[in-house]
Amino acid sequence: MTARSMCITMHNISGTDIGLIGLIGIGVGGIIGSGIFALPAIMGAGIIIMILGLIYAELGSTYTMTGGPYSLPRKALGNDTGFVLGWGYFIYAFTGTAAIIDIFITYTGYYVPGLSVGLVLTPLGIAISLIALAVFTVINILGVKFGTIFSIVTTFGKIVPLVIFAIVGFVVFKIANFKPFLPFGLGGLGLAMALDFFAYTGFEGVVIPSGEVKNPAKTIPRAMIFTVIIVVAVYAILSIAFTGMFNWSGAGIPVTDNQNGYNGFDGVIDKDLSSSLLATSIGASEFIIITDVDNVYLDYKNKKGKINRIKYDEMLDYYNKINFEEGTIKPKILASLRFIENGGTRVYITSIKNIGSIDTGTVIEK
């Protein structure tokens, strides 16, 4: 099958049924869903998306062909390019739809037992996903008018809960959360803008049904402008409310509250205790700690009291009685004791060179 035979011309098969409100519903509904809470980045990315959107709108209103990302490149660059971009957009839409339905069922699984186990759908969850996909397919088959009505209804269904969330956020709003503003400078803003483009994917949906739009020369540009303005406004309000309501200390983030707002301070993660906890959480029975010494010594400076094999109770007694210096083997001994206390049976402490024969190091047993 050639590119030419695949690249058929898409034309108006349903009549001009889409007006301004319907097209805005398609645009806004296609974008909102995965907004990133980063206020300055939302604004900056929105400005760039507006520029791209106006380019799409100009082309879509000039060449009123249904297809958008497929039909416009095909007209400009030929059938081969249209063939590649058409299939590329289809794969993007196909996988995106699958991901959206998967996320929807996974979230629903928190309230309806049996739909998912963690992030994996159960057979029941998969069956409901297929039913949902079939329903949306039927809506599209029935015609663009029904699809437009569905887009308008679901768009309001998305925006209303977000507005309620924003109202609650402004009730407990804390201006101190915005100090310092742009803590990572313009460099951080640029990085956030690059990541935030994902929040605007879907704006091209405004020009896809160009052949079925009433008075496309006026409707498409207006719909694109209103779509981007509405989405930027919703994202900005949500970002402000979320940032203002967020309780940093309640989320476990170490901060101090002063006149200049919230300031973070350095935290230290104990790698030995963290490793011990990880080993316990996965149900490990043995735990190996690699360090720069072959064995534990009761007096490391003088190389006295070398420990080869020892029971937990005896090691705990040494730990409580002997003043192991900070920055030495002390954290590793504590991590070993915690591991055995939490159900482990054996801990090996040795150097990397002895990893092949760990019994030559220090072995702490339950």
PDB file of all heavy atoms in Angstrom, residues 311-338:
ATOM      1  N   LYS A 311      26.905 -12.697  68.318  1.00  0.00           N
ATOM      2  CA  LYS A 311      25.454 -12.720  68.419  1.00  0.00           C
ATOM      3  C   LYS A 311      24.909 -11.304  68.612  1.00  0.00           C
ATOM      4  O   LYS A 311      25.605 -10.409  69.092  1.00  0.00           O
ATOM      5  CB  LYS A 311      25.022 -13.611  69.597  1.00  0.00           C
ATOM      6  CG  LYS A 311      25.311 -15.090  69.405  1.00  0.00           C
ATOM      7  CD  LYS A 311      24.421 -15.665  68.301  1.00  0.00           C
ATOM      8  CE  LYS A 311      24.604 -17.170  68.186  1.00  0.00           C
ATOM      9  NZ  LYS A 311      23.749 -17.754  67.119  1.00  0.00           N
ATOM     10  N   TYR A 312      23.634 -11.156  68.260  1.00  0.00           N
ATOM     11  CA  TYR A 312      22.977  -9.848  68.351  1.00  0.00           C
ATOM     12  C   TYR A 312      23.056  -9.277  69.768  1.00  0.00           C
ATOM     13  O   TYR A 312      23.417  -8.101  69.952  1.00  0.00           O
ATOM     14  CB  TYR A 312      21.511  -9.970  67.901  1.00  0.00           C
ATOM     15  CG  TYR A 312      20.638  -8.810  68.344  1.00  0.00           C
ATOM     16  CD1 TYR A 312      20.615  -7.602  67.642  1.00  0.00           C
ATOM     17  CD2 TYR A 312      19.840  -8.931  69.488  1.00  0.00           C
ATOM     18  CE1 TYR A 312      19.824  -6.536  68.061  1.00  0.00           C
ATOM     19  CE2 TYR A 312      19.052  -7.876  69.912  1.00  0.00           C
ATOM     20  CZ  TYR A 312      19.052  -6.685  69.208  1.00  0.00           C
ATOM     21  OH  TYR A 312      18.286  -5.643  69.633  1.00  0.00           O
ATOM     22  N   ASP A 313      22.712 -10.092  70.768  1.00  0.00           N
ATOM     23  CA  ASP A 313      22.664  -9.589  72.149  1.00  0.00           C
ATOM     24  C   ASP A 313      24.028  -9.070  72.594  1.00  0.00           C
ATOM     25  O   ASP A 313      24.140  -8.038  73.266  1.00  0.00           O
ATOM     26  CB  ASP A 313      22.190 -10.690  73.102  1.00  0.00           C
ATOM     27  CG  ASP A 313      20.727 -11.056  72.870  1.00  0.00           C
ATOM     28  OD1 ASP A 313      19.984 -10.192  72.356  1.00  0.00           O
ATOM     29  OD2 ASP A 313      20.339 -12.203  73.191  1.00  0.00           O
ATOM     30  N   GLU A 314      25.063  -9.800  72.239  1.00  0.00           N
ATOM     31  CA  GLU A 314      26.420  -9.395  72.633  1.00  0.00           C
ATOM     32  C   GLU A 314      26.840  -8.118  71.910  1.00  0.00           C
ATOM     33  O   GLU A 314      27.447  -7.224  72.500  1.00  0.00           O
ATOM     34  CB  GLU A 314      27.399 -10.526  72.324  1.00  0.00           C
ATOM     35  CG  GLU A 314      28.785 -10.306  72.896  1.00  0.00           C
ATOM     36  CD  GLU A 314      29.716 -11.470  72.614  1.00  0.00           C
ATOM     37  OE1 GLU A 314      29.271 -12.464  71.999  1.00  0.00           O
ATOM     38  OE2 GLU A 314      30.899 -11.363  73.010  1.00  0.00           O
ATOM     39  N   MET A 315      26.476  -8.001  70.625  1.00  0.00           N
ATOM     40  CA  MET A 315      26.817  -6.791  69.867  1.00  0.00           C
ATOM     41  C   MET A 315      26.063  -5.584  70.412  1.00  0.00           C
ATOM     42  O   MET A 315      26.609  -4.484  70.493  1.00  0.00           O
ATOM     43  CB  MET A 315      26.467  -7.000  68.381  1.00  0.00           C
ATOM     44  CG  MET A 315      26.969  -5.900  67.469  1.00  0.00           C
ATOM     45  SD  MET A 315      28.767  -5.948  67.210  1.00  0.00           S
ATOM     46  CE  MET A 315      29.301  -4.530  68.155  1.00  0.00           C
ATOM     47  N   LEU A 316      24.805  -5.798  70.780  1.00  0.00           N
ATOM     48  CA  LEU A 316      24.017  -4.709  71.371  1.00  0.00           C
ATOM     49  C   LEU A 316      24.642  -4.247  72.685  1.00  0.00           C
ATOM     50  O   LEU A 316      24.699  -3.045  72.971  1.00  0.00           O
ATOM     51  CB  LEU A 316      22.581  -5.181  71.603  1.00  0.00           C
ATOM     52  CG  LEU A 316      21.633  -4.175  72.269  1.00  0.00           C
ATOM     53  CD1 LEU A 316      21.467  -2.932  71.395  1.00  0.00           C
ATOM     54  CD2 LEU A 316      20.268  -4.819  72.538  1.00  0.00           C
ATOM     55  N   ASP A 317      25.138  -5.183  73.456  1.00  0.00           N
ATOM     56  CA  ASP A 317      25.775  -4.835  74.725  1.00  0.00           C
ATOM     57  C   ASP A 317      27.049  -4.023  74.479  1.00  0.00           C
ATOM     58  O   ASP A 317      27.293  -3.019  75.155  1.00  0.00           O
ATOM     59  CB  ASP A 317      26.106  -6.115  75.505  1.00  0.00           C
ATOM     60  CG  ASP A 317      26.597  -5.826  76.907  1.00  0.00           C
ATOM     61  OD1 ASP A 317      25.865  -5.131  77.643  1.00  0.00           O
ATOM     62  OD2 ASP A 317      27.699  -6.288  77.258  1.00  0.00           O
ATOM     63  N   TYR A 318      27.841  -4.419  73.485  1.00  0.00           N
ATOM     64  CA  TYR A 318      29.036  -3.649  73.140  1.00  0.00           C
ATOM     65  C   TYR A 318      28.644  -2.240  72.666  1.00  0.00           C
ATOM     66  O   TYR A 318      29.288  -1.253  73.008  1.00  0.00           O
ATOM     67  CB  TYR A 318      29.822  -4.353  72.030  1.00  0.00           C
ATOM     68  CG  TYR A 318      30.683  -5.492  72.513  1.00  0.00           C
ATOM     69  CD1 TYR A 318      30.726  -6.686  71.794  1.00  0.00           C
ATOM     70  CD2 TYR A 318      31.474  -5.374  73.659  1.00  0.00           C
ATOM     71  CE1 TYR A 318      31.521  -7.740  72.209  1.00  0.00           C
ATOM     72  CE2 TYR A 318      32.273  -6.431  74.078  1.00  0.00           C
ATOM     73  CZ  TYR A 318      32.285  -7.603  73.366  1.00  0.00           C
ATOM     74  OH  TYR A 318      33.076  -8.638  73.790  1.00  0.00           O
ATOM     75  N   TYR A 319      27.616  -2.174  71.858  1.00  0.00           N
ATOM     76  CA  TYR A 319      27.195  -0.884  71.293  1.00  0.00           C
ATOM     77  C   TYR A 319      26.796   0.094  72.404  1.00  0.00           C
ATOM     78  O   TYR A 319      27.102   1.295  72.338  1.00  0.00           O
ATOM     79  CB  TYR A 319      26.026  -1.087  70.334  1.00  0.00           C
ATOM     80  CG  TYR A 319      25.544   0.188  69.675  1.00  0.00           C
ATOM     81  CD1 TYR A 319      26.191   0.700  68.556  1.00  0.00           C
ATOM     82  CD2 TYR A 319      24.460   0.887  70.184  1.00  0.00           C
ATOM     83  CE1 TYR A 319      25.767   1.878  67.950  1.00  0.00           C
ATOM     84  CE2 TYR A 319      24.017   2.067  69.594  1.00  0.00           C
ATOM     85  CZ  TYR A 319      24.679   2.558  68.482  1.00  0.00           C
ATOM     86  OH  TYR A 319      24.257   3.725  67.903  1.00  0.00           O
ATOM     87  N   ASN A 320      26.129  -0.423  73.436  1.00  0.00           N
ATOM     88  CA  ASN A 320      25.659   0.448  74.520  1.00  0.00           C
ATOM     89  C   ASN A 320      26.770   0.819  75.494  1.00  0.00           C
ATOM     90  O   ASN A 320      26.715   1.873  76.130  1.00  0.00           O
ATOM     91  CB  ASN A 320      24.527  -0.245  75.295  1.00  0.00           C
ATOM     92  CG  ASN A 320      23.254  -0.368  74.459  1.00  0.00           C
ATOM     93  OD1 ASN A 320      22.974   0.488  73.615  1.00  0.00           O
ATOM     94  ND2 ASN A 320      22.489  -1.422  74.698  1.00  0.00           N
ATOM     95  N   LYS A 321      27.796  -0.025  75.599  1.00  0.00           N
ATOM     96  CA  LYS A 321      28.830   0.205  76.599  1.00  0.00           C
ATOM     97  C   LYS A 321      30.069   0.894  76.040  1.00  0.00           C
ATOM     98  O   LYS A 321      30.726   1.662  76.736  1.00  0.00           O
ATOM     99  CB  LYS A 321      29.242  -1.118  77.248  1.00  0.00           C
ATOM    100  CG  LYS A 321      28.170  -1.725  78.143  1.00  0.00           C
ATOM    101  CD  LYS A 321      28.653  -3.022  78.775  1.00  0.00           C
ATOM    102  CE  LYS A 321      27.600  -3.614  79.700  1.00  0.00           C
ATOM    103  NZ  LYS A 321      28.057  -4.889  80.317  1.00  0.00           N
ATOM    104  N   ILE A 322      30.390   0.605  74.768  1.00  0.00           N
ATOM    105  CA  ILE A 322      31.622   1.136  74.192  1.00  0.00           C
ATOM    106  C   ILE A 322      31.317   2.435  73.453  1.00  0.00           C
ATOM    107  O   ILE A 322      30.338   2.538  72.715  1.00  0.00           O
ATOM    108  CB  ILE A 322      32.265   0.116  73.239  1.00  0.00           C
ATOM    109  CG1 ILE A 322      32.670  -1.135  74.030  1.00  0.00           C
ATOM    110  CG2 ILE A 322      33.472   0.706  72.530  1.00  0.00           C
ATOM    111  CD1 ILE A 322      33.243  -2.232  73.178  1.00  0.00           C
ATOM    112  N   ASN A 323      32.167   3.401  73.621  1.00  0.00           N
ATOM    113  CA  ASN A 323      31.972   4.699  72.985  1.00  0.00           C
ATOM    114  C   ASN A 323      32.564   4.685  71.572  1.00  0.00           C
ATOM    115  O   ASN A 323      33.654   5.193  71.323  1.00  0.00           O
ATOM    116  CB  ASN A 323      32.633   5.801  73.828  1.00  0.00           C
ATOM    117  CG  ASN A 323      32.363   7.179  73.258  1.00  0.00           C
ATOM    118  OD1 ASN A 323      31.369   7.391  72.564  1.00  0.00           O
ATOM    119  ND2 ASN A 323      33.251   8.110  73.561  1.00  0.00           N
ATOM    120  N   PHE A 324      31.825   4.058  70.639  1.00  0.00           N
ATOM    121  CA  PHE A 324      32.261   4.095  69.244  1.00  0.00           C
ATOM    122  C   PHE A 324      32.201   5.542  68.749  1.00  0.00           C
ATOM    123  O   PHE A 324      31.188   6.231  68.911  1.00  0.00           O
ATOM    124  CB  PHE A 324      31.353   3.225  68.373  1.00  0.00           C
ATOM    125  CG  PHE A 324      31.510   1.756  68.615  1.00  0.00           C
ATOM    126  CD1 PHE A 324      30.596   1.067  69.404  1.00  0.00           C
ATOM    127  CD2 PHE A 324      32.562   1.062  68.050  1.00  0.00           C
ATOM    128  CE1 PHE A 324      30.730  -0.288  69.630  1.00  0.00           C
ATOM    129  CE2 PHE A 324      32.710  -0.301  68.266  1.00  0.00           C
ATOM    130  CZ  PHE A 324      31.789  -0.978  69.059  1.00  0.00           C
ATOM    131  N   GLU A 325      33.272   6.008  68.156  1.00  0.00           N
ATOM    132  CA  GLU A 325      33.330   7.399  67.723  1.00  0.00           C
ATOM    133  C   GLU A 325      32.412   7.647  66.527  1.00  0.00           C
ATOM    134  O   GLU A 325      32.214   6.784  65.669  1.00  0.00           O
ATOM    135  CB  GLU A 325      34.772   7.785  67.349  1.00  0.00           C
ATOM    136  CG  GLU A 325      35.736   7.728  68.506  1.00  0.00           C
ATOM    137  CD  GLU A 325      37.134   8.144  68.091  1.00  0.00           C
ATOM    138  OE1 GLU A 325      37.307   8.553  66.927  1.00  0.00           O
ATOM    139  OE2 GLU A 325      38.046   8.042  68.927  1.00  0.00           O
ATOM    140  N   GLU A 326      31.808   8.870  66.491  1.00  0.00           N
ATOM    141  CA  GLU A 326      30.987   9.251  65.348  1.00  0.00           C
ATOM    142  C   GLU A 326      31.850   9.302  64.094  1.00  0.00           C
ATOM    143  O   GLU A 326      33.024   9.683  64.143  1.00  0.00           O
ATOM    144  CB  GLU A 326      30.350  10.620  65.590  1.00  0.00           C
ATOM    145  CG  GLU A 326      29.362  10.656  66.757  1.00  0.00           C
ATOM    146  CD  GLU A 326      28.108   9.842  66.477  1.00  0.00           C
ATOM    147  OE1 GLU A 326      27.829   9.562  65.290  1.00  0.00           O
ATOM    148  OE2 GLU A 326      27.416   9.484  67.437  1.00  0.00           O
ATOM    149  N   GLY A 327      31.264   8.918  62.972  1.00  0.00           N
ATOM    150  CA  GLY A 327      31.999   8.942  61.716  1.00  0.00           C
ATOM    151  C   GLY A 327      32.822   7.696  61.488  1.00  0.00           C
ATOM    152  O   GLY A 327      33.582   7.612  60.531  1.00  0.00           O
ATOM    153  N   THR A 328      32.712   6.709  62.424  1.00  0.00           N
ATOM    154  CA  THR A 328      33.448   5.466  62.235  1.00  0.00           C
ATOM    155  C   THR A 328      32.457   4.361  61.863  1.00  0.00           C
ATOM    156  O   THR A 328      31.592   4.536  61.024  1.00  0.00           O
ATOM    157  CB  THR A 328      34.217   5.115  63.507  1.00  0.00           C
ATOM    158  OG1 THR A 328      33.293   5.021  64.614  1.00  0.00           O
ATOM    159  CG2 THR A 328      35.234   6.201  63.838  1.00  0.00           C
ATOM    160  N   ILE A 329      32.564   3.222  62.527  1.00  0.00           N
ATOM    161  CA  ILE A 329      31.721   2.066  62.215  1.00  0.00           C
ATOM    162  C   ILE A 329      30.387   2.122  62.945  1.00  0.00           C
ATOM    163  O   ILE A 329      29.495   1.296  62.694  1.00  0.00           O
ATOM    164  CB  ILE A 329      32.491   0.771  62.584  1.00  0.00           C
ATOM    165  CG1 ILE A 329      31.962  -0.430  61.783  1.00  0.00           C
ATOM    166  CG2 ILE A 329      32.411   0.509  64.087  1.00  0.00           C
ATOM    167  CD1 ILE A 329      32.328  -0.371  60.330  1.00  0.00           C
ATOM    168  N   LYS A 330      30.208   3.102  63.817  1.00  0.00           N
ATOM    169  CA  LYS A 330      29.029   3.159  64.685  1.00  0.00           C
ATOM    170  C   LYS A 330      27.699   3.128  63.914  1.00  0.00           C
ATOM    171  O   LYS A 330      26.806   2.342  64.260  1.00  0.00           O
ATOM    172  CB  LYS A 330      29.104   4.399  65.576  1.00  0.00           C
ATOM    173  CG  LYS A 330      27.950   4.509  66.565  1.00  0.00           C
ATOM    174  CD  LYS A 330      28.136   5.711  67.481  1.00  0.00           C
ATOM    175  CE  LYS A 330      27.002   5.803  68.493  1.00  0.00           C
ATOM    176  NZ  LYS A 330      27.182   6.963  69.411  1.00  0.00           N
ATOM    177  N   PRO A 331      27.503   3.956  62.858  1.00  0.00           N
ATOM    178  CA  PRO A 331      26.213   3.921  62.140  1.00  0.00           C
ATOM    179  C   PRO A 331      25.915   2.565  61.510  1.00  0.00           C
ATOM    180  O   PRO A 331      24.759   2.150  61.429  1.00  0.00           O
ATOM    181  CB  PRO A 331      26.378   5.006  61.073  1.00  0.00           C
ATOM    182  CG  PRO A 331      27.465   5.892  61.575  1.00  0.00           C
ATOM    183  CD  PRO A 331      28.393   4.999  62.305  1.00  0.00           C
ATOM    184  N   LYS A 332      26.974   1.858  61.099  1.00  0.00           N
ATOM    185  CA  LYS A 332      26.777   0.561  60.462  1.00  0.00           C
ATOM    186  C   LYS A 332      26.395  -0.502  61.484  1.00  0.00           C
ATOM    187  O   LYS A 332      25.607  -1.410  61.192  1.00  0.00           O
ATOM    188  CB  LYS A 332      28.037   0.173  59.701  1.00  0.00           C
ATOM    189  CG  LYS A 332      28.304   1.088  58.510  1.00  0.00           C
ATOM    190  CD  LYS A 332      29.631   0.855  57.883  1.00  0.00           C
ATOM    191  CE  LYS A 332      29.784   1.717  56.625  1.00  0.00           C
ATOM    192  NZ  LYS A 332      29.519   3.145  56.832  1.00  0.00           N
ATOM    193  N   ILE A 333      26.937  -0.378  62.681  1.00  0.00           N
ATOM    194  CA  ILE A 333      26.536  -1.304  63.742  1.00  0.00           C
ATOM    195  C   ILE A 333      25.077  -1.075  64.111  1.00  0.00           C
ATOM    196  O   ILE A 333      24.296  -2.021  64.273  1.00  0.00           O
ATOM    197  CB  ILE A 333      27.440  -1.132  64.977  1.00  0.00           C
ATOM    198  CG1 ILE A 333      28.889  -1.501  64.624  1.00  0.00           C
ATOM    199  CG2 ILE A 333      26.936  -1.979  66.138  1.00  0.00           C
ATOM    200  CD1 ILE A 333      29.874  -1.250  65.752  1.00  0.00           C
ATOM    201  N   LEU A 334      24.678   0.193  64.231  1.00  0.00           N
ATOM    202  CA  LEU A 334      23.291   0.504  64.561  1.00  0.00           C
ATOM    203  C   LEU A 334      22.343  -0.016  63.479  1.00  0.00           C
ATOM    204  O   LEU A 334      21.297  -0.593  63.788  1.00  0.00           O
ATOM    205  CB  LEU A 334      23.131   2.017  64.729  1.00  0.00           C
ATOM    206  CG  LEU A 334      21.708   2.503  65.029  1.00  0.00           C
ATOM    207  CD1 LEU A 334      21.191   1.880  66.324  1.00  0.00           C
ATOM    208  CD2 LEU A 334      21.664   4.026  65.110  1.00  0.00           C
ATOM    209  N   ALA A 335      22.713   0.173  62.216  1.00  0.00           N
ATOM    210  CA  ALA A 335      21.879  -0.317  61.115  1.00  0.00           C
ATOM    211  C   ALA A 335      21.754  -1.840  61.165  1.00  0.00           C
ATOM    212  O   ALA A 335      20.686  -2.402  60.899  1.00  0.00           O
ATOM    213  CB  ALA A 335      22.463   0.124  59.779  1.00  0.00           C
ATOM    214  N   SER A 336      22.845  -2.518  61.540  1.00  0.00           N
ATOM    215  CA  SER A 336      22.828  -3.979  61.654  1.00  0.00           C
ATOM    216  C   SER A 336      21.879  -4.426  62.759  1.00  0.00           C
ATOM    217  O   SER A 336      21.087  -5.369  62.582  1.00  0.00           O
ATOM    218  CB  SER A 336      24.235  -4.500  61.935  1.00  0.00           C
ATOM    219  OG  SER A 336      25.143  -4.086  60.931  1.00  0.00           O
ATOM    220  N   LEU A 337      21.965  -3.755  63.902  1.00  0.00           N
ATOM    221  CA  LEU A 337      21.095  -4.102  65.030  1.00  0.00           C
ATOM    222  C   LEU A 337      19.625  -3.879  64.668  1.00  0.00           C
ATOM    223  O   LEU A 337      18.763  -4.704  64.987  1.00  0.00           O
ATOM    224  CB  LEU A 337      21.485  -3.284  66.253  1.00  0.00           C
ATOM    225  CG  LEU A 337      22.889  -3.533  66.813  1.00  0.00           C
ATOM    226  CD1 LEU A 337      23.214  -2.537  67.927  1.00  0.00           C
ATOM    227  CD2 LEU A 337      23.015  -4.960  67.338  1.00  0.00           C
ATOM    228  N   ARG A 338      19.331  -2.769  64.000  1.00  0.00           N
ATOM    229  CA  ARG A 338      17.949  -2.473  63.612  1.00  0.00           C
ATOM    230  C   ARG A 338      17.418  -3.525  62.639  1.00  0.00           C
ATOM    231  O   ARG A 338      16.259  -3.934  62.709  1.00  0.00           O
ATOM    232  CB  ARG A 338      17.859  -1.085  62.980  1.00  0.00           C
ATOM    233  CG  ARG A 338      18.110   0.054  63.946  1.00  0.00           C
ATOM    234  CD  ARG A 338      16.942   0.215  64.913  1.00  0.00           C
ATOM    235  NE  ARG A 338      17.153   1.347  65.801  1.00  0.00           N
ATOM    236  CZ  ARG A 338      17.747   1.263  66.989  1.00  0.00           C
ATOM    237  NH1 ARG A 338      18.179   0.081  67.434  1.00  0.00           N
ATOM    238  NH2 ARG A 338      17.905   2.336  67.731  1.00  0.00           N
TER     239      ARG A 338
END
